[in-house]
Amino acid sequence: FKYTIISLAIAATYSCIDEFHQSFIPERDGNPLDILIDSLGTLAGISIFIVFYSIYHARKQKKAWKKISPLSKRLILHLQY
């Protein structure tokens, strides 16, 4: 969660700097709505990454669980409850 907040803060800061820079370019303007749109895009990208990483991690754990002997599985399950 910490890295999610840091990534979002970095992207929002970069977006603010970019919009500020655009205000000095002729025929362009710095629009605060663009900052919001960029931040929402960053949040969407982070969310998609978290979903795919969670699926990958769950499958990896499932494969590891299959490699454990039945006796060890019983012991692990017994210790959990």
Side-chain angles (χ1 to χ4, degrees), residues 4-62:
T4 302
I5 300 299
I6 292 170
S7 299
L8 190 57
I10 290 170
T13 302
Y14 183 82
S15 180
C16 289
I17 292 168
D18 185 44
E19 292 303 317
F20 179 71
H21 173 261
Q22 285 182 14
S23 67
F24 295 106
I25 297 174
E27 300 179 12
R28 306 256 345 228
D29 62 339
N31 190 349
L33 184 60
D34 284 344
I35 296 170
L36 178 65
I37 292 169
D38 291 343
S39 298
L40 289 175
T42 302
L43 188 60
I46 290 171
S47 299
I48 291 169
F49 171 78
I50 288 172
V51 166
F52 280 105
Y53 180 77
S54 298
I55 292 169
Y56 167 77
H57 188 65
R59 286 184 177 181
K60 189 175 177 181
Q61 283 184 333
K62 191 174 181 181

Side-chain angles (χ1 to χ4, degrees), residues 65 68-81:
W65 181 254
I68 299 174
S69 71
L71 182 60
S72 298
K73 286 180 186 178
R74 280 191 230 135
L75 180 61
I76 291 169
L77 292 173
H78 178 69
L79 293 174
Q80 286 181 343
Y81 298 108

